[in-house]
Amino acid sequence: MTSEITLFVNPTAGRGRGARAAQPAASALRAAGFSVRTVLGENPDDALTRARAAVEGGTGALVAVGGDGMAHLALQAVAGTRTPLGLIAVGTGNDFARALGLPVRDPAGAGRVVAEALKGARLRDIDLGRVDGGSWFGTVLASGFDSRVNDRGNRMRWPAGRFKYDLAMLAELAAFKPFPYRITLDDGEVREVEATLVAVGNGSSYGGGMKICAGADLTDGLFDITVVGDCSRGALLRVFPKVYKGTHLDHPKVTVHRAAKIELAADGITGYADGEPLGPLPLIAECIRGAVRIAGP
């Protein structure tokens, strides 16, 4: 592996933590003997173009500095290649880094872990989800109530930060009703269900530690698909706090399926993966074994 690696930085992640984190992360990598080149972008499309150029140019690794959104962008550049991905997780949620056992909001420590993994060739291949043969994701594809909350929160200009999504959740609860879904697993029969949400987990959590797909395994070649059925508003309020411990899976309205492929259809629902909007359903997601090489523990 070449000693030149690429630091892929989102300066706005975590309200500016991305910019502050780049320096200690780069210092840790340089201290381990690597030559570090930093890539920024004027916007996400420009940043991705530059990251892909670095990968195609033979960089020894792509090390993303930011949150789950930056990790998601980096996946689009390295998935399906043998270029290792490192993560310096300094965003708001950091669910992908947690799933990988990497340090969170400790850029110097994460830099050291990534450097040690690269130097010792301690690399591992993990699965990724792929949507409609295009966009890759590492954690969870969300649809339903949670994606409606995202839709509303993204439209709100005030307040800033996570409180905006708390308000969006309250607003969506006021208008809440289950959605009619059509779900097809591994090209089997179409299942028509009334559901509050359907979450397709390559990783186990989203939203900063909400273990919606608590049993998901990044290396088994299968999604864990959590279907929260036709809950009442009151039942949803009782079940939702349990998501942080993963104990919601015991609720009678919750079912879990395992499949390598899922087709999801529902009217008026946007799909989100790694917290990033994919577009309206229907969509098809496939779990791709060993799609990305990770530098980490």
Side-chain angles (χ1 to χ4, degrees):
M1 187 190 82
T2 176
S3 63
E4 182 181 293
I5 60 178
T6 301
L7 205 62
F8 188 37
V9 182
N10 177 5
T12 64
R15 300 188 193 179
R17 280 193 297 268
R20 295 191 295 274
Q23 185 173 350
S27 295
L29 291 161
R30 289 189 178 107
F34 292 101
S35 171
V36 179
R37 173 175 171 263
T38 300
V39 166
L40 297 167
E42 295 178 5
N43 53 55
D45 287 342
D46 179 55
L48 180 55
T49 296
R50 293 168 186 259
R52 282 177 167 155
V55 170
E56 290 166 5
T59 188
L62 187 69
V63 181
V65 182
D68 284 326
M70 195 61 174
H72 179 81
L73 198 61
L75 288 175
Q76 313 315 308
V78 298
T81 77
R82 294 292 80 193
T83 301
L85 174 66
L87 292 179
I88 312 296
V90 292
T92 303
N94 304 311
D95 289 282
F96 195 34
R98 286 192 181 94
L100 296 170
L102 288 163
V104 170
R105 296 187 184 174
D106 176 9
R112 288 191 293 271
V113 169
V114 171
E116 289 166 7
L118 291 171
K119 285 186 73 174
R122 293 201 308 275
L123 308 172
R124 57 181 171 133
D125 294 339
I126 67 162
D127 306 337
L128 293 176
R130 196 170 198 187
V131 180
D132 293 335
S135 182
W136 300 89
F137 68 94
T139 56
V140 176
L141 189 163
S143 73
F145 176 74
D146 43 9
S147 64
R148 282 288 186 92
V149 170
N150 260 326
D151 285 342
R152 183 180 289 269
N154 290 342
R155 293 194 301 267
M156 292 167 64
R157 296 185 179 181
W158 182 92
R162 296 187 66 173
F163 186 53
K164 174 169 65 175
Y165 293 94
D166 293 337
L167 290 180
M169 183 180 295
L170 291 174
E172 284 299 321
L173 274 171
F176 171 75
K177 61 179 181 179
F179 311 100
Y181 276 89
R182 298 176 300 284
I183 302 171
T184 309
L185 303 178
D186 290 332
D187 296 320
E189 294 182 358
V190 177
R191 307 173 189 219
E192 296 191 1
V193 300
E194 293 280 324
T196 301
L197 64 86
V198 178
V200 181
N202 182 57
S204 60
S205 71
Y206 63 5
M210 298 167 68
K211 299 177 182 177
I212 188 69
C213 300
D217 183 335
L218 292 168
T219 60
D220 65 356
L222 297 171
F223 293 129
D224 271 35
I225 300 155
T226 301
V227 179
V228 179
D230 56 344
C231 289
S232 66
R233 188 180 294 113
L236 181 59
L237 284 169
R238 289 190 296 274
V239 170
F240 210 79
K242 297 181 178 182
V243 174
Y244 287 95
K245 293 185 178 179
T247 54
H248 64 294
L249 299 181
D250 298 328
H251 193 278
K253 288 289 187 180
V254 178
T255 55
V256 177
H257 309 275
R258 289 189 170 87
K261 180 181 179 182
I262 179 171
E263 182 171 356
L264 273 178
D267 294 334
I269 299 295
T270 300
Y272 282 77
D274 298 332
E276 300 298 308
L278 296 171
L281 273 55
L283 54 79
I284 297 171
E286 295 182 83
C287 187
I288 309 298
R289 269 191 187 273
V292 67
R293 180 156 288 181
I294 297 293

